[in-house]
Amino acid sequence: MSTDYPTVEVASGLPRHSFALRVLHWLIAVLLVFALIGGFTLGILGQEQLTALVGADLAGTAFMAHKTLGISILLLMLVRLVVRLSQRTPEYAISPTRMQRALGGLVHFLLYVLVIAMPIVGWLGTAAAGAPVNFFTWELPGFLAEDPALAENLFLAHMALGVTIAVLIVLHTAAGLYHYRVRQDWVMKRISLFR
């Protein structure tokens, strides 16, 4: 683990996360929001209803786009994990309470684990459903034989992970706004893309 902060200084003189980590954070956040909105829409409508609404071609494109987003998020999260483990965490301008530090650490840990797990579960569910696992126009290996009962359980788990992640994102965002508007303690500057 690095002993130096690979960071950029802010006006307070405190270090920030590296530019690479900050870019990954916001890129994954944007992709994740689109993946969740798309996933909930696809899950609620289902393939048959979506096909009836927009046609088979557009429905197929929507499912392929969702799978591509999921694989992209998985790859970016693995890169982010490597980058994060290679760097120290920047210091706080104002130390959070022990409870805030524990809750923040728990939410961050859960987001890492669940955001990595969700596309893997979706990948396996897609394979078990006998559908192609798409990354753009490439078809990836499924790793599972077709098993409709298993597919149903995996898709239920995929949806549950999505709901849990959505709740964690709301908590994470609320905490960020609290630090930015109420405590005004520079926490948001550590991960902000801008000064």
mmCIF file of all heavy atoms in Angstrom, residues 116-149:
data_model
loop_
_atom_site.group_PDB
_atom_site.id
_atom_site.type_symbol
_atom_site.label_atom_id
_atom_site.label_comp_id
_atom_site.label_asym_id
_atom_site.label_seq_id
_atom_site.Cartn_x
_atom_site.Cartn_y
_atom_site.Cartn_z
ATOM 1 N N ILE A 116 -20.559 -4.759 -7.299
ATOM 2 C CA ILE A 116 -19.827 -5.817 -7.999
ATOM 3 C C ILE A 116 -20.701 -7.067 -8.133
ATOM 4 O O ILE A 116 -20.727 -7.714 -9.184
ATOM 5 C CB ILE A 116 -18.498 -6.135 -7.279
ATOM 6 C CG1 ILE A 116 -17.508 -4.972 -7.458
ATOM 7 C CG2 ILE A 116 -17.886 -7.439 -7.794
ATOM 8 C CD1 ILE A 116 -16.245 -5.087 -6.621
ATOM 9 N N ALA A 117 -21.445 -7.383 -7.088
ATOM 10 C CA ALA A 117 -22.265 -8.603 -7.103
ATOM 11 C C ALA A 117 -23.438 -8.511 -8.077
ATOM 12 O O ALA A 117 -23.782 -9.500 -8.742
ATOM 13 C CB ALA A 117 -22.791 -8.894 -5.692
ATOM 14 N N MET A 118 -24.064 -7.330 -8.171
ATOM 15 C CA MET A 118 -25.290 -7.217 -8.973
ATOM 16 C C MET A 118 -25.098 -7.607 -10.443
ATOM 17 O O MET A 118 -25.874 -8.406 -10.968
ATOM 18 C CB MET A 118 -25.886 -5.820 -8.855
ATOM 19 C CG MET A 118 -27.233 -5.722 -9.579
ATOM 20 S SD MET A 118 -28.133 -4.185 -9.281
ATOM 21 C CE MET A 118 -27.023 -2.994 -9.977
ATOM 22 N N PRO A 119 -24.079 -7.095 -11.153
ATOM 23 C CA PRO A 119 -23.937 -7.531 -12.548
ATOM 24 C C PRO A 119 -23.554 -9.003 -12.682
ATOM 25 O O PRO A 119 -23.930 -9.647 -13.667
ATOM 26 C CB PRO A 119 -22.845 -6.607 -13.112
ATOM 27 C CG PRO A 119 -22.172 -5.999 -11.934
ATOM 28 C CD PRO A 119 -23.144 -6.010 -10.813
ATOM 29 N N ILE A 120 -22.826 -9.536 -11.708
ATOM 30 C CA ILE A 120 -22.485 -10.964 -11.765
ATOM 31 C C ILE A 120 -23.751 -11.807 -11.648
ATOM 32 O O ILE A 120 -23.958 -12.766 -12.405
ATOM 33 C CB ILE A 120 -21.464 -11.324 -10.662
ATOM 34 C CG1 ILE A 120 -20.130 -10.646 -10.934
ATOM 35 C CG2 ILE A 120 -21.293 -12.841 -10.558
ATOM 36 C CD1 ILE A 120 -19.104 -10.776 -9.820
ATOM 37 N N VAL A 121 -24.625 -11.444 -10.717
ATOM 38 C CA VAL A 121 -25.894 -12.181 -10.548
ATOM 39 C C VAL A 121 -26.754 -12.036 -11.803
ATOM 40 O O VAL A 121 -27.372 -12.997 -12.267
ATOM 41 C CB VAL A 121 -26.637 -11.694 -9.283
ATOM 42 C CG1 VAL A 121 -28.036 -12.288 -9.204
ATOM 43 C CG2 VAL A 121 -25.832 -12.053 -8.030
ATOM 44 N N GLY A 122 -26.789 -10.817 -12.378
ATOM 45 C CA GLY A 122 -27.543 -10.608 -13.614
ATOM 46 C C GLY A 122 -26.982 -11.424 -14.770
ATOM 47 O O GLY A 122 -27.727 -12.001 -15.571
ATOM 48 N N TRP A 123 -25.661 -11.489 -14.850
ATOM 49 C CA TRP A 123 -24.975 -12.285 -15.880
ATOM 50 C C TRP A 123 -25.394 -13.751 -15.767
ATOM 51 O O TRP A 123 -25.785 -14.384 -16.747
ATOM 52 C CB TRP A 123 -23.480 -12.121 -15.670
ATOM 53 C CG TRP A 123 -22.543 -12.772 -16.656
ATOM 54 C CD1 TRP A 123 -22.747 -13.906 -17.385
ATOM 55 C CD2 TRP A 123 -21.236 -12.305 -17.000
ATOM 56 N NE1 TRP A 123 -21.647 -14.191 -18.154
ATOM 57 C CE2 TRP A 123 -20.698 -13.219 -17.939
ATOM 58 C CE3 TRP A 123 -20.468 -11.225 -16.597
ATOM 59 C CZ2 TRP A 123 -19.420 -13.073 -18.487
ATOM 60 C CZ3 TRP A 123 -19.189 -11.076 -17.146
ATOM 61 C CH2 TRP A 123 -18.686 -11.980 -18.072
ATOM 62 N N LEU A 124 -25.319 -14.293 -14.540
ATOM 63 C CA LEU A 124 -25.668 -15.704 -14.330
ATOM 64 C C LEU A 124 -27.155 -15.954 -14.570
ATOM 65 O O LEU A 124 -27.540 -16.987 -15.122
ATOM 66 C CB LEU A 124 -25.271 -16.134 -12.917
ATOM 67 C CG LEU A 124 -23.766 -16.098 -12.620
ATOM 68 C CD1 LEU A 124 -23.491 -16.432 -11.162
ATOM 69 C CD2 LEU A 124 -23.001 -17.056 -13.542
ATOM 70 N N GLY A 125 -28.003 -15.008 -14.162
ATOM 71 C CA GLY A 125 -29.441 -15.147 -14.397
ATOM 72 C C GLY A 125 -29.770 -15.163 -15.879
ATOM 73 O O GLY A 125 -30.612 -15.943 -16.340
ATOM 74 N N THR A 126 -29.093 -14.300 -16.628
ATOM 75 C CA THR A 126 -29.300 -14.251 -18.082
ATOM 76 C C THR A 126 -28.907 -15.574 -18.724
ATOM 77 O O THR A 126 -29.628 -16.106 -19.581
ATOM 78 C CB THR A 126 -28.471 -13.097 -18.691
ATOM 79 O OG1 THR A 126 -28.899 -11.864 -18.109
ATOM 80 C CG2 THR A 126 -28.637 -13.029 -20.199
ATOM 81 N N ALA A 127 -27.771 -16.115 -18.306
ATOM 82 C CA ALA A 127 -27.315 -17.404 -18.841
ATOM 83 C C ALA A 127 -28.288 -18.512 -18.486
ATOM 84 O O ALA A 127 -28.641 -19.349 -19.329
ATOM 85 C CB ALA A 127 -25.922 -17.716 -18.307
ATOM 86 N N ALA A 128 -28.742 -18.524 -17.217
ATOM 87 C CA ALA A 128 -29.677 -19.571 -16.785
ATOM 88 C C ALA A 128 -31.016 -19.456 -17.505
ATOM 89 O O ALA A 128 -31.731 -20.451 -17.669
ATOM 90 C CB ALA A 128 -29.881 -19.490 -15.272
ATOM 91 N N ALA A 129 -31.364 -18.253 -17.946
ATOM 92 C CA ALA A 129 -32.605 -18.062 -18.708
ATOM 93 C C ALA A 129 -32.452 -18.480 -20.167
ATOM 94 O O ALA A 129 -33.425 -18.493 -20.924
ATOM 95 C CB ALA A 129 -33.034 -16.596 -18.635
ATOM 96 N N GLY A 130 -31.225 -18.811 -20.565
ATOM 97 C CA GLY A 130 -30.981 -19.225 -21.948
ATOM 98 C C GLY A 130 -30.845 -18.058 -22.899
ATOM 99 O O GLY A 130 -30.892 -18.235 -24.124
ATOM 100 N N ALA A 131 -30.671 -16.847 -22.361
ATOM 101 C CA ALA A 131 -30.520 -15.649 -23.189
ATOM 102 C C ALA A 131 -29.039 -15.321 -23.345
ATOM 103 O O ALA A 131 -28.219 -15.712 -22.506
ATOM 104 C CB ALA A 131 -31.260 -14.477 -22.548
ATOM 105 N N PRO A 132 -28.682 -14.606 -24.401
ATOM 106 C CA PRO A 132 -27.266 -14.244 -24.575
ATOM 107 C C PRO A 132 -26.819 -13.190 -23.564
ATOM 108 O O PRO A 132 -27.597 -12.316 -23.187
ATOM 109 C CB PRO A 132 -27.217 -13.680 -26.003
ATOM 110 C CG PRO A 132 -28.608 -13.212 -26.277
ATOM 111 C CD PRO A 132 -29.518 -14.134 -25.506
ATOM 112 N N VAL A 133 -25.578 -13.305 -23.116
ATOM 113 C CA VAL A 133 -24.975 -12.305 -22.231
ATOM 114 C C VAL A 133 -24.199 -11.353 -23.133
ATOM 115 O O VAL A 133 -23.121 -11.691 -23.618
ATOM 116 C CB VAL A 133 -24.041 -12.953 -21.188
ATOM 117 C CG1 VAL A 133 -23.418 -11.888 -20.295
ATOM 118 C CG2 VAL A 133 -24.800 -13.973 -20.354
ATOM 119 N N ASN A 134 -24.792 -10.185 -23.390
ATOM 120 C CA ASN A 134 -24.209 -9.245 -24.349
ATOM 121 C C ASN A 134 -23.332 -8.200 -23.681
ATOM 122 O O ASN A 134 -23.659 -7.681 -22.621
ATOM 123 C CB ASN A 134 -25.307 -8.494 -25.113
ATOM 124 C CG ASN A 134 -26.221 -9.415 -25.868
ATOM 125 O OD1 ASN A 134 -27.377 -9.579 -25.505
ATOM 126 N ND2 ASN A 134 -25.701 -10.020 -26.912
ATOM 127 N N PHE A 135 -22.219 -7.899 -24.357
ATOM 128 C CA PHE A 135 -21.431 -6.713 -24.042
ATOM 129 C C PHE A 135 -21.282 -5.995 -25.371
ATOM 130 O O PHE A 135 -20.507 -6.406 -26.218
ATOM 131 C CB PHE A 135 -20.077 -7.088 -23.444
ATOM 132 C CG PHE A 135 -19.228 -5.902 -23.074
ATOM 133 C CD1 PHE A 135 -19.681 -4.976 -22.146
ATOM 134 C CD2 PHE A 135 -17.988 -5.716 -23.651
ATOM 135 C CE1 PHE A 135 -18.904 -3.879 -21.798
ATOM 136 C CE2 PHE A 135 -17.203 -4.621 -23.313
ATOM 137 C CZ PHE A 135 -17.664 -3.701 -22.382
ATOM 138 N N PHE A 136 -22.098 -4.954 -25.566
ATOM 139 C CA PHE A 136 -22.291 -4.349 -26.877
ATOM 140 C C PHE A 136 -22.765 -5.461 -27.821
ATOM 141 O O PHE A 136 -23.755 -6.112 -27.528
ATOM 142 C CB PHE A 136 -21.018 -3.635 -27.353
ATOM 143 C CG PHE A 136 -20.663 -2.444 -26.491
ATOM 144 C CD1 PHE A 136 -19.702 -2.546 -25.498
ATOM 145 C CD2 PHE A 136 -21.317 -1.232 -26.663
ATOM 146 C CE1 PHE A 136 -19.380 -1.446 -24.694
ATOM 147 C CE2 PHE A 136 -21.017 -0.135 -25.867
ATOM 148 C CZ PHE A 136 -20.047 -0.240 -24.878
ATOM 149 N N THR A 137 -22.072 -5.698 -28.927
ATOM 150 C CA THR A 137 -22.542 -6.742 -29.862
ATOM 151 C C THR A 137 -21.849 -8.083 -29.626
ATOM 152 O O THR A 137 -22.158 -9.053 -30.306
ATOM 153 C CB THR A 137 -22.299 -6.297 -31.324
ATOM 154 O OG1 THR A 137 -20.917 -5.993 -31.505
ATOM 155 C CG2 THR A 137 -23.138 -5.067 -31.654
ATOM 156 N N TRP A 138 -20.925 -8.139 -28.667
ATOM 157 C CA TRP A 138 -20.248 -9.404 -28.370
ATOM 158 C C TRP A 138 -21.096 -10.239 -27.429
ATOM 159 O O TRP A 138 -21.725 -9.721 -26.504
ATOM 160 C CB TRP A 138 -18.886 -9.156 -27.722
ATOM 161 C CG TRP A 138 -17.922 -8.444 -28.603
ATOM 162 C CD1 TRP A 138 -17.319 -8.921 -29.744
ATOM 163 C CD2 TRP A 138 -17.418 -7.116 -28.423
ATOM 164 N NE1 TRP A 138 -16.489 -7.978 -30.279
ATOM 165 C CE2 TRP A 138 -16.521 -6.848 -29.497
ATOM 166 C CE3 TRP A 138 -17.636 -6.125 -27.470
ATOM 167 C CZ2 TRP A 138 -15.862 -5.653 -29.634
ATOM 168 C CZ3 TRP A 138 -16.970 -4.917 -27.602
ATOM 169 C CH2 TRP A 138 -16.096 -4.685 -28.669
ATOM 170 N N GLU A 139 -21.071 -11.532 -27.639
ATOM 171 C CA GLU A 139 -21.756 -12.448 -26.727
ATOM 172 C C GLU A 139 -20.711 -13.107 -25.836
ATOM 173 O O GLU A 139 -19.787 -13.764 -26.321
ATOM 174 C CB GLU A 139 -22.547 -13.493 -27.508
ATOM 175 C CG GLU A 139 -23.429 -14.343 -26.618
ATOM 176 C CD GLU A 139 -24.355 -15.255 -27.403
ATOM 177 O OE1 GLU A 139 -24.747 -14.882 -28.522
ATOM 178 O OE2 GLU A 139 -24.674 -16.350 -26.885
ATOM 179 N N LEU A 140 -20.866 -12.926 -24.533
ATOM 180 C CA LEU A 140 -19.918 -13.456 -23.558
ATOM 181 C C LEU A 140 -20.355 -14.847 -23.111
ATOM 182 O O LEU A 140 -21.533 -15.208 -23.217
ATOM 183 C CB LEU A 140 -19.839 -12.513 -22.351
ATOM 184 C CG LEU A 140 -19.454 -11.064 -22.661
ATOM 185 C CD1 LEU A 140 -19.437 -10.238 -21.378
ATOM 186 C CD2 LEU A 140 -18.106 -10.996 -23.354
ATOM 187 N N PRO A 141 -19.423 -15.642 -22.573
ATOM 188 C CA PRO A 141 -19.816 -16.970 -22.066
ATOM 189 C C PRO A 141 -20.799 -16.844 -20.908
ATOM 190 O O PRO A 141 -20.716 -15.917 -20.104
ATOM 191 C CB PRO A 141 -18.487 -17.584 -21.603
ATOM 192 C CG PRO A 141 -17.544 -16.442 -21.459
ATOM 193 C CD PRO A 141 -17.990 -15.378 -22.401
ATOM 194 N N GLY A 142 -21.733 -17.777 -20.839
ATOM 195 C CA GLY A 142 -22.770 -17.722 -19.805
ATOM 196 C C GLY A 142 -22.392 -18.403 -18.502
ATOM 197 O O GLY A 142 -22.890 -18.051 -17.446
ATOM 198 N N PHE A 143 -21.557 -19.427 -18.572
ATOM 199 C CA PHE A 143 -21.061 -20.178 -17.411
ATOM 200 C C PHE A 143 -22.112 -21.067 -16.750
ATOM 201 O O PHE A 143 -21.790 -21.833 -15.858
ATOM 202 C CB PHE A 143 -20.451 -19.250 -16.345
ATOM 203 C CG PHE A 143 -19.306 -18.425 -16.847
ATOM 204 C CD1 PHE A 143 -19.409 -17.040 -16.901
ATOM 205 C CD2 PHE A 143 -18.130 -19.025 -17.277
ATOM 206 C CE1 PHE A 143 -18.346 -16.270 -17.373
ATOM 207 C CE2 PHE A 143 -17.066 -18.262 -17.753
ATOM 208 C CZ PHE A 143 -17.183 -16.879 -17.802
ATOM 209 N N LEU A 144 -23.377 -20.961 -17.132
ATOM 210 C CA LEU A 144 -24.422 -21.804 -16.559
ATOM 211 C C LEU A 144 -25.261 -22.403 -17.667
ATOM 212 O O LEU A 144 -25.506 -21.763 -18.696
ATOM 213 C CB LEU A 144 -25.347 -20.991 -15.645
ATOM 214 C CG LEU A 144 -24.814 -20.532 -14.290
ATOM 215 C CD1 LEU A 144 -25.896 -19.725 -13.564
ATOM 216 C CD2 LEU A 144 -24.377 -21.704 -13.432
ATOM 217 N N ALA A 145 -25.720 -23.638 -17.428
ATOM 218 C CA ALA A 145 -26.668 -24.257 -18.353
ATOM 219 C C ALA A 145 -28.047 -23.632 -18.143
ATOM 220 O O ALA A 145 -28.331 -23.056 -17.087
ATOM 221 C CB ALA A 145 -26.724 -25.766 -18.104
ATOM 222 N N GLU A 146 -28.891 -23.749 -19.149
ATOM 223 C CA GLU A 146 -30.242 -23.193 -19.047
ATOM 224 C C GLU A 146 -31.013 -23.876 -17.923
ATOM 225 O O GLU A 146 -31.050 -25.110 -17.829
ATOM 226 C CB GLU A 146 -30.974 -23.356 -20.379
ATOM 227 C CG GLU A 146 -32.297 -22.623 -20.429
ATOM 228 C CD GLU A 146 -32.906 -22.591 -21.819
ATOM 229 O OE1 GLU A 146 -32.202 -22.926 -22.797
ATOM 230 O OE2 GLU A 146 -34.091 -22.229 -21.923
ATOM 231 N N ASP A 147 -31.597 -23.076 -17.048
ATOM 232 C CA ASP A 147 -32.337 -23.579 -15.890
ATOM 233 C C ASP A 147 -33.344 -22.499 -15.490
ATOM 234 O O ASP A 147 -33.009 -21.567 -14.751
ATOM 235 C CB ASP A 147 -31.371 -23.876 -14.743
ATOM 236 C CG ASP A 147 -32.049 -24.500 -13.529
ATOM 237 O OD1 ASP A 147 -33.275 -24.309 -13.354
ATOM 238 O OD2 ASP A 147 -31.351 -25.167 -12.746
ATOM 239 N N PRO A 148 -34.578 -22.581 -15.998
ATOM 240 C CA PRO A 148 -35.567 -21.520 -15.768
ATOM 241 C C PRO A 148 -35.832 -21.228 -14.289
ATOM 242 O O PRO A 148 -35.992 -20.067 -13.909
ATOM 243 C CB PRO A 148 -36.826 -22.039 -16.464
ATOM 244 C CG PRO A 148 -36.313 -22.976 -17.510
ATOM 245 C CD PRO A 148 -35.091 -23.609 -16.910
ATOM 246 N N ALA A 149 -35.876 -22.261 -13.454
ATOM 247 C CA ALA A 149 -36.134 -22.042 -12.026
ATOM 248 C C ALA A 149 -34.989 -21.269 -11.384
ATOM 249 O O ALA A 149 -35.211 -20.331 -10.600
ATOM 250 C CB ALA A 149 -36.338 -23.385 -11.316
#
